[in-house]
Each structure stands twice: as C-alpha cells, then as structure tokens.
C-alpha cells in the first residue's frame, strides 16, 4: 500500500490532478473509485507531512495549491463535469477565503 501512496504522491507533485491519479489507480491496480480516492487521500497526507517536516515556505505552498486546484477545475470543465468543477471552486474558496461568509 505504501508504494501506491508514494506513486500517487509523485504523480501529484509532478502536476497530475486528482482525476488523473484516480484513473491511474483504477487502471493500473484495478482499484475501485472509492479505493482509489482513499489511496489519493493518503498521498495528500504524505505530501503534507513531508512539507511540514521540510519547513517549506507557506506562500510557495499556497501558490502551488491554488495552481493545482485551478488545473483541476479546468480539467473538470473540459470534461463537462460540473460537480467536480464546483467542488474545485469550493476548495479554492476555502483555501483563499474569497467567497461570501455567513
């Protein structure tokens, strides 16, 4: 399992989006969509842990996260997947706080 987590983490860090990672996991390892997302979630946790341990500049990390979410939203729109696009936009809003707060 750790090899799978590390493989997806490397994909994420090289610019692959969540959707591409899930598709890769499904095709390569025969995982279900739910299982693929579980591995992906662990990959993001690994990246976060590595980032915290490295003392990475938070501004650089924030810029990278914004870029990745923008790519994900663009991919979702290109695939006509409105739900994924809305989810990406919602995550951007949580990350940067530009939305209306009630």
């Amino acid at each position: 399992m750790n090899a799978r987590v590390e493989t997806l983490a490397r994909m994420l860090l090289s610019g692959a989006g969540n959707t591409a990672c899930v598709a890769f996991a499904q095709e390569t390892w025969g995982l279900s969509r739910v299982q693929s997302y579980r591995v992906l979630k662990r990959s993001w946790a690994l990246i976060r842990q590595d980032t915290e341990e490295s003392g990475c500049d938070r501004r650089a990390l924030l810029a990278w996260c914004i870029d990745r979410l923008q790519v994900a939203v663009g991919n979702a729109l290109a695939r006509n997947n409105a739900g994924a696009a809305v989810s990406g936009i919602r995550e951007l809003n949580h990350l940067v706080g530009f939305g209306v707060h009630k």
Side-chain angles (χ1 to χ4, degrees), residues 72-88:
V73 169
N75 289 339
L77 291 173
R79 290 189 172 110
N80 201 24
N81 186 344
V86 169
S87 294

Side-chain angles (χ1 to χ4, degrees), residues 7-94:
T7 298
L8 292 187
R10 280 193 298 276
M11 288 178 66
L12 289 166
L13 291 171
S14 67
N18 288 344
T19 303
C21 290
V22 168
F24 175 84
Q26 289 176 305
E27 293 168 11
T28 305
W29 303 315
L31 301 178
S32 71
R33 183 179 170 109
V34 171
Q35 291 170 321
S36 299
Y37 273 107
R38 285 184 186 141
V39 175
L40 181 67
K41 185 176 179 179
R42 289 183 59 194
S43 298
W44 277 114
L46 176 64
I47 292 168
R48 179 178 179 185
Q49 178 185 358
D50 289 348
T51 302
E52 288 172 352
E53 290 174 2
S54 73
C56 178
D57 176 31
R58 292 182 62 86
R59 285 185 182 184
L61 181 59
L62 178 62
W64 181 81
C65 290
I66 290 169
D67 175 67
R68 293 291 82 218
L69 283 169
Q70 288 175 326
V71 168
V73 169
N75 289 339
L77 291 173
R79 290 189 172 110
N80 201 24
N81 186 344
V86 169
S87 294
I89 292 167
R90 184 178 299 124
E91 289 302 315
L92 274 167
N93 179 44
H94 288 305

